[in-house]
Amino acid sequence: MDNEKGFGVVDNCVFAGMLIISAVIGLYISYKGSKSPEEFLMGNRSLKPLPVSLSLITSYITAIALIGFPAEVYANGLQISTIALGCPLAIIFSSYFLLPVLYSLKLTSINEYIELRFKSKRLRFVIFLLSMAKALAANGIGLYAPTIALSSVTNLSTLNSIFILGIICTLYSSFGGIKAVIWTDAFQFSVMLIGLMTVVGVGCDQNGGVIETLHVASEGGRLEMFNMSLSPFVRHTFLNTMVFGFFYQLRMYSSEQVNIQRICAVKSVKNARR
């Protein structure tokens, strides 16, 4: 950055480049692929496990998490990170008990399962409306969160940032379908990973190294991870964060449309488990 208050030339180039590459991925896949609904929605169920896995991770690590979790750790310590310990248990459970059932039905939408299970189109429609309301609220917040950060370091207003990000996401999703979404997610995962590693590296360097950074964090009471209290009045404990992580991840891998669609887009249950 050229200054401490906003993006410099390099920052703007990186930001613009990421948006342009995301849009180009969607346009390229649209140009190369067929126009059949099966390919657009499910990628002909032939996608590879690696990009799908990266896409699932990217859909989990939202802007809300990237902005909110560091703030939570700074304010209340590292205990919230033990949410991650419940996630593998949920993934294993869903992989062996839920995924085989859902995958064998060759679903395009998770709402199809509701109709098949309860023999009710009306219930399916109600669940669809509730899912749409939830998605609109969650995606709205998810889109608004990064624009707050962008408006503080660029000359873009919050409204302009929302329009730009929304148009780019709509562009590659509507033109390229599920393949574009997955490959764009994989690209964005690499950008996030590089960015996070850079932030950690620069932060540790500016604080005198990893050991000194951990020492300062420890003195500030931010390294507590194994609070075994059973009190419901404690903000975060090992037990409640782990249980939350399990059920939160179980919901994502068993009933969330964005994840079920990705999982069912691979060749087999074995690949889906991977």
Side-chain angles (χ1 to χ4, degrees), residues 116-131:
L116 292 172
R117 172 65 178 81
F118 297 100
K119 304 294 189 294
S120 173
K121 289 187 176 182
R122 182 175 298 178
L123 179 60
R124 174 180 174 176
F125 183 69
V126 171
I127 297 298
F128 164 75
L129 291 179
L130 293 175
S131 299

Side-chain angles (χ1 to χ4, degrees), residues 33-102:
S34 69
K35 307 299 181 183
S36 67
E38 179 69 11
E39 178 168 4
F40 185 84
L41 294 174
M42 304 303 297
N44 286 331
R45 303 185 190 272
S46 61
L47 298 177
K48 302 296 183 182
L50 180 59
V52 172
S53 299
L54 296 180
S55 179
L56 288 170
I57 295 173
T58 306
S59 66
Y60 178 72
I61 307 175
T62 63
I64 300 173
L66 287 175
I67 296 174
F69 270 78
E72 173 63 29
V73 171
Y74 181 81
N76 299 292
L78 202 59
Q79 184 64 69
I80 193 174
S81 65
T82 48
I83 286 175
L85 298 180
C87 296
L89 300 177
I91 293 173
I92 293 171
F93 181 87
S94 61
S95 295
Y96 286 93
F97 294 99
L98 303 177
L99 182 58
V101 176
L102 296 174

Side-chain angles (χ1 to χ4, degrees), residues 18 94 148 153 204 222 254:
M18 188 184 71
S94 61
I148 298 175
V153 294
C204 289
R222 296 186 175 92
S254 61

Side-chain angles (χ1 to χ4, degrees), residues 22-37:
S22 297
V24 168
I25 289 173
L27 295 174
Y28 175 77
I29 291 177
S30 174
Y31 173 75
K32 295 291 289 185
S34 69
K35 307 299 181 183
S36 67

Side-chain angles (χ1 to χ4, degrees), residues 8-29:
V9 175
V10 175
D11 302 299
N12 283 313
C13 289
V14 171
F15 176 61
M18 188 184 71
L19 295 180
I20 292 171
I21 291 173
S22 297
V24 168
I25 289 173
L27 295 174
Y28 175 77
I29 291 177

